[in-house]
Amino acid sequence: MPAFKPPFIPSSEITPKGLYLGRRHFMAGAGAIGLAGIAPPALAALNAKKTDYVVGDTITPKEDATTYNNFYEFGTGKGDPAAYSGDFKPFPWKIKVDGMVAKPMEFDVEELIATLPLEERVYRFRCVEAWSMVLPWTGFMLSDLLQKVEPLGSAKYVDFRTAVRPDQMPGVNYPILEWPYREGLRLDEAMHPLTLMAVGIYGDKLPNQNGAPIRLVLPWKYGFKSIKSIETITLTDTQPQTSWNMAAANEYGFYSNVNPERDHPRWSQASERVLGTGGGFFGGGDRRDTEMFNGYGEQVASLYAGMDLIENY
Ligand code: MTE
């Protein structure tokens, strides 16, 4: 993997314009982060360290990021996950990491959070539906978790699956997608330092609708790759199936890197609506031009050197 250059605006260089919220949040993140709600006393004392991973735009209001969601296990409407995830119990939670590894393991998520270095990172998040947000996540690098299980040389891909709980997730009682929701990455994408396992947002634990207790966040890929409420992670030598590719292969490929030059068959990907800047569920607000790899090209473009990214969408 190429040497990683801190991409974004180091905290020391943050200018006031448009960054007030980000900076303020940053400072809060430097102290005890509000993960206390997770429960065990051990977690209450956790600190999320300051990070250089900060994108320099105004942070999306929490109200928008927690009420306008895609989480089909709770329904297909944007308001459904907030409305219908109240019965979902994210703790206690076990996450299994197995497959082509020397040491397959099952982790209790609360214990895992206590043992891995947490960071707060402000990432731009671009949905395939051509809207975007800027969100402060708390999490750890997926690479830190994968190193614990010691991937074998034969492992080439990582397969992720969400829990299926018909009694707590009303949407899985309907054949909207083939459950469990599943996603996949190449192993080098999974090991990339930008690849975050998020356990918190806005300095607090993840609300159910945002993927409690643990989810992926992949800032250079369309939002659907950022799988929520992960239960199993399996290393494999074959390219995993992914939910959206299974549902509509001509629309959603395996890579799903943000690419303004490759339109979705039914709409343009050249620009995006900035969530939280006015308008409502049906549009409006500010627009911005979509950037290749969602602006993270300096960090990730080398992962795809020599690949045709129109073909490999
Ligand atoms: N993960 C699961 N398990 N189920 C889903 O329906 N939706 C995806 C992704 N992860 C989804 C999921 C899509 S389409 C997007 S855009 C993001 O979650 C939305 O994350 P957010 O609601 O926290 O913004």
Side-chain angles (χ1 to χ4, degrees):
M1 193 192 302
F4 179 76
K5 291 199 212 98
F8 318 119
I9 305 167
S11 54
S12 55
E13 286 172 25
I14 289 178
T15 53
K17 187 178 170 294
L19 293 172
Y20 174 67
L21 271 175
R23 168 55 88 76
R24 226 183 28 172
H25 198 80
F26 215 41
M27 314 276 269
I33 192 128
L35 285 169
I38 284 180
L43 282 181
L46 273 186
N47 289 333
K49 102 174 186 272
K50 278 193 190 188
T51 181
D52 283 338
Y53 301 83
V54 175
V55 76
D57 292 297
T58 306
I59 289 180
T60 304
K62 183 175 179 180
E63 175 67 15
D64 293 274
T66 57
T67 59
Y68 188 90
N69 298 101
N70 280 327
F71 199 167
Y72 279 17
E73 285 84 340
F74 297 104
T76 56
K78 300 293 181 219
D80 289 349
Y84 303 122
S85 63
D87 290 338
F88 184 68
K89 305 248 171 338
F91 297 102
W93 189 276
K94 301 259 189 251
I95 185 165
K96 196 155 73 170
V97 190
D98 61 8
M100 294 181 155
V101 298
K103 295 183 177 166
M105 288 192 215
E106 190 170 68
F107 301 91
D108 174 85
V109 164
E110 289 160 278
E111 286 171 18
L112 191 63
I113 294 170
T115 61
L116 289 174
L118 289 185
E119 280 183 55
E120 187 171 88
R121 299 183 170 191
V122 180
Y123 280 162
R124 186 183 311 284
F125 188 87
R126 170 62 156 79
C127 180
V128 75
E129 296 162 339
W131 47 264
S132 68
M133 304 185 278
V134 175
L135 302 182
W137 303 99
T138 306
F140 56 85
M141 290 191 294
L142 176 60
S143 62
D144 282 346
L145 174 59
L146 294 181
Q147 269 154 19
K148 282 182 186 271
V149 297
E150 298 177 14
L152 300 178
S154 49
K156 299 276 179 286
Y157 295 93
V158 188
D159 174 294
F160 303 85
R161 298 194 182 193
T162 295
V164 185
R165 297 184 178 174
D167 54 330
Q168 295 177 22
M169 299 169 141
V172 304
N173 295 298
Y174 302 90
I176 310 163
L177 291 170
E178 207 173 301
W179 312 111
Y181 193 97
R182 55 194 94 186
E183 258 310 332
L185 293 173
R186 264 185 0 210
L187 184 58
D188 59 345
E189 297 177 314
M191 296 299 284
H192 193 280
L194 282 179
T195 300
L196 196 70
M197 289 290 275
V199 295
I201 194 167
Y202 298 97
D204 209 342
K205 63 178 178 169
L206 287 172
N208 289 345
Q209 62 269 30
N210 292 87
I214 189 161
R215 65 173 295 174
L216 262 184
V217 186
L218 296 154
W220 73 97
K221 292 180 178 281
Y222 290 120
F224 63 87
K225 298 292 284 184
S226 293
I227 180 173
K228 295 173 166 179
S229 306
I230 300 169
E231 203 169 59
T232 61
I233 299 178
T234 306
L235 282 82
T236 154
D237 58 359
T238 42
Q239 185 173 297
Q241 285 194 306
T242 68
S243 285
W244 285 103
N245 183 254
M246 289 161 76
N250 63 323
E251 300 191 0
Y252 309 105
F254 176 76
Y255 284 96
S256 307
N257 293 315
V258 174
N259 186 347
E261 280 159 27
R262 199 240 174 224
D263 287 339
H264 186 280
R266 291 183 281 130
W267 59 83
S268 165
Q269 294 290 23
S271 70
E272 64 209 40
R273 182 165 73 89
V274 181
L275 217 69
T277 55
F281 273 35
F282 303 105
D286 296 346
R287 290 200 76 83
R288 67 190 297 280
D289 289 342
T290 293
E291 294 171 70
M292 187 65 200
F293 298 116
N294 202 23
Y296 298 85
E298 199 186 323
Q299 292 74 51
V300 300
S302 58
L303 292 171
Y304 311 103
M307 277 177 68
D308 179 337
L309 293 176
I310 301 290
E311 197 103 318
N312 295 286
Y313 56 96

